[in-house]
Amino acid sequence: MSLRHQAALAKKYIRYYFKAGNRHDVHSPFVYTLLEEVLNNRGHQPAYEALEALRTRLLASTDVIEVTDLGAGSLMGATNTRKIRDIVRHAAKPAKFGQLFYRLVKHLNAATVLELGTSMGLSTAYMATAGATVHTIEGCPNIAARAKANFDSLGLQNIHQYIGNFDTELTKVLAAIPSPDIVYIDGNHREGPTVQYFLDCLPAMKPSSVLIFDDIHWTEGMENAWAAIQAHPAVTLTIDLFFIGLVFISPDFKVKQHFTLKF
């Protein structure tokens, strides 16, 4: 990520921080409950310990692997080799988001999760540790292999990995798995593909399902994708947490609602 990009993202975050609301700005009972029981419920869980111990080990790793980048480009430069610790530092979501995904799986009693973009598997592991069966697609075979080793180190057997380009793998995986309760789209990060992944997933979703989009403010293209998804007729509720966006399609929400909340 260039210094100019970092500065632009920082300015966006400052605007978000002063615009975002809290529980006093939420009048939807569903969103209020989600805010209190999931977003703001940041107490320690024993299950987090093994996952954060894994993160610490990965951040200390000096191992180097060759990577295949099929998306919008790396935050770490144009070379095709990466240090494991740099992948974790730049590509993995911080602990507070992994813990949020854990709580969201628990809150929704999610049985099936579909993830686009495994990376080192930290977010995957959080959702699997919460009890969901996670189906995760990764474009780079070497990264997928390291993620598999991480899952094995945690004793997680409820993760199914798929390797390949999202453009070809997504529809095949959707046809082979139960209707997902959560879809987490964390890869490619370009406007057109992000919207297309949403459209591909939509027919397979249940009314109670939620989609999570990563880096919705990362670029102008991602902001355009986020706006297009918000405007889609099937979307009845969205929550902007700046680094991620939550999308709900439940017809129980009769009026389309958009919230920007501090997290």
Side-chain angles (χ1 to χ4, degrees):
M1 183 189 298
S2 69
L3 290 176
R4 180 178 294 180
H5 190 180
Q6 290 179 357
L9 196 61
K11 288 180 181 178
K12 290 179 186 179
Y13 183 79
I14 291 170
R15 288 197 298 269
Y16 152 81
Y17 184 83
F18 286 105
K19 173 186 175 184
N22 54 38
R23 63 183 180 179
H24 302 296
D25 303 295
V26 172
H27 304 292
S28 162
F30 174 86
V31 177
Y32 185 87
T33 299
L34 190 72
L35 186 61
E36 291 298 290
E37 297 185 4
V38 181
L39 298 179
N40 291 344
N41 182 16
R42 303 194 193 187
H44 176 72
Q45 296 287 338
Y48 299 161
E49 294 175 7
L51 299 163
E52 288 311 309
L54 171 61
R55 186 192 302 272
T56 299
R57 292 196 299 273
L58 293 174
L59 286 170
S61 173
T62 58
D63 291 351
V64 176
I65 62 172
E66 291 196 11
V67 303
T68 305
D69 186 1
L70 300 177
S74 168
L75 299 180
M76 294 162 282
T79 64
N80 63 348
T81 59
R82 304 279 190 276
K83 292 180 180 178
I84 295 295
R85 66 188 182 196
D86 289 340
I87 294 174
V88 174
R89 184 176 296 115
H90 295 288
K93 300 305 289 181
K96 75 172 187 176
F97 287 101
Q99 293 167 12
L100 170 61
F101 300 156
Y102 175 95
R103 297 192 300 271
L104 193 60
V105 168
K106 290 285 191 182
H107 182 74
L108 298 176
N109 195 26
T112 302
V113 172
L114 172 61
E115 177 185 50
L116 278 67
T118 315
S119 191
M120 287 291 113
L122 286 167
S123 294
T124 323
Y126 266 106
M127 294 185 285
T129 299
T133 297
V134 183
H135 300 266
T136 183
I137 308 173
E138 171 57 48
C140 175
N142 291 338
I143 288 179
R146 292 304 296 251
K148 175 66 163 58
N150 293 335
F151 303 147
D152 290 344
S153 75
L154 294 168
L156 293 171
Q157 299 181 343
N158 51 332
I159 298 172
H160 302 280
Q161 291 183 272
Y162 309 83
I163 301 171
N165 193 311
F166 300 160
D167 296 348
T168 56
E169 294 300 309
L170 176 56
T171 53
K172 291 189 289 186
V173 173
L174 283 167
I177 69 174
S179 180
D181 300 289
I182 296 174
V183 172
Y184 177 34
I185 298 178
D186 179 19
N188 201 321
H189 296 98
R190 291 182 292 184
E191 179 179 350
T194 298
V195 174
Q196 188 59 53
Y197 302 149
F198 165 72
L199 295 174
D200 289 342
C201 290
L202 199 54
M205 308 296 286
K206 297 179 285 192
S208 58
S209 299
V210 58
L211 298 101
I212 306 170
F213 291 88
D214 189 58
D215 285 337
I216 58 174
H217 295 287
W218 187 48
T219 61
E220 183 180 353
M222 285 301 293
E223 290 187 323
N224 291 340
W226 175 241
I229 290 163
Q230 286 182 305
H232 191 280
V235 172
T236 52
L237 169 67
T238 64
I239 301 175
D240 182 341
L241 303 177
F242 190 77
F243 291 107
I244 65 170
L246 307 180
V247 173
F248 299 84
I249 57 172
S250 173
D252 291 342
F253 305 125
K254 304 302 182 184
V255 178
K256 188 186 285 278
Q257 300 176 87
H258 305 302
F259 294 91
T260 299
L261 299 176
K262 284 188 174 70
F263 181 71

